[in-house]
Amino acid sequence: MISTINYLELKKILLKKFVNVKVMIQLRGILDTKIFIENTRIMINKHKLTIFNNEHDFSIEFMMMKNFKIEEKCHIELIYEDFTVILEL
């Protein structure tokens, strides 16, 4: 689960930097996958993050998240036990 302070920091960065741009979503784990979403829109609440446009959407829940890292305000890593989700401009 994400704390309130971390949630507010993540929300601020996502809504400021990651809206209406091309976002690369990379899943690292047993399988590695990259997804590109252009002209992104973001919905975020304390339990879930959704990045979407008219054609694609990507949702991830914060329930089992262990930690997250923010590097340079355009590279975010959401770290889970078995995999890592990287959001990058």
Side-chain angles (χ1 to χ4, degrees), residues 15-55:
L15 294 178
K16 186 175 182 180
K17 299 284 186 177
F18 284 76
V19 175
N20 293 325
V21 295
K22 183 177 183 179
V23 174
M24 183 213 35
I25 302 166
Q26 181 177 4
L27 299 171
R28 282 193 202 161
I30 295 173
L31 298 173
D32 290 343
T33 302
K34 286 185 182 176
I35 302 167
F36 293 93
I37 300 179
E38 295 187 24
N39 298 322
T40 57
R41 289 186 246 156
I42 293 179
M43 288 179 31
I44 185 171
N45 64 26
K46 197 143 170 115
H47 305 287
K48 184 177 178 179
L49 167 67
T50 304
I51 299 174
F52 62 97
N53 66 8
N54 292 335
E55 300 170 3

Side-chain angles (χ1 to χ4, degrees), residues 2 6-14 44 62 68 76:
I2 191 166
N6 290 340
Y7 165 73
L8 293 174
E9 180 183 3
L10 182 63
K11 180 178 176 179
K12 180 181 173 186
I13 291 170
L14 285 172
I44 185 171
F62 297 134
F68 75 94
I76 299 172

